[in-house]
Amino acid sequence: MQLLPIPCPAHLIPDATGTDAFHDVYRTAMAQQAVFVAIESERRQRWIVKADTLTAGSGHAVDDAVNDAVRAAITCLVENREVDLDAYAGPIYFMMHGVRSEDRAREIAAALHAALYGDLGPLTRAVPPVS
């Protein structure tokens, strides 16, 4: 697997459905010292979005403003019932269950990936802030 570009187009977000696929994607991110991001299929034809900054190594830092923006976006997704109530909003590990389509899961994952590298633009477009 090649290094994901930043920002990463949604169609390049890896599908890590299944234990072997998950471990392959996670190990690749760790070997490349990159933020792990993936989607997984779950029962009921729903999708999971996952991201983890530990794989990027100790030199990768996500500042408080970005963490606050990511947390606000995930809260918005929960309130809009786009993801389940059990969403995990970081600051290191992120997981959202219950996304209704693969395309939307990819869009959210790509936006989260960009945000974890400091680019909030894709996240703002994918999950507009509540006014």
Side-chain angles (χ1 to χ4, degrees):
M1 186 176 139
Q2 66 185 28
L3 188 61
L4 297 176
I6 304 158
C8 182
H11 72 278
L12 293 181
I13 296 295
D15 182 341
T17 302
T19 304
D20 290 341
F22 174 83
H23 287 294
D24 287 346
V25 173
Y26 196 87
R27 282 188 201 117
T28 299
M30 199 168 5
Q32 295 173 345
Q33 292 194 314
V35 171
F36 164 83
V37 65
I39 60 169
E40 294 180 22
S41 177
E42 66 178 340
R43 66 191 184 288
R44 303 177 335 261
Q45 297 180 349
R46 301 287 175 110
W47 292 84
I48 304 167
V49 173
K50 292 183 177 179
D52 187 338
T53 61
L54 285 177
T55 55
S58 60
H60 182 81
V62 178
D63 69 31
D64 290 341
V66 169
N67 273 320
D68 290 346
V70 169
R71 193 170 301 109
I74 292 173
T75 298
C76 185
L77 290 167
V78 169
E79 288 172 352
N80 291 338
R81 295 191 169 117
E82 285 196 68
V83 301
D84 293 344
L85 292 171
D86 64 350
Y88 194 78
I92 295 168
Y93 184 73
F94 306 82
M95 183 169 49
M96 293 165 268
H97 289 268
V99 181
R100 286 183 171 78
S101 75
E102 180 180 357
D103 287 345
R104 183 63 172 147
R106 288 181 181 284
E107 178 185 26
I108 293 168
L112 177 58
H113 184 255
L116 295 173
Y117 278 103
D119 180 358
L120 291 173
L123 186 64
T124 301
R125 288 187 294 281
V127 187
V130 178
S131 307

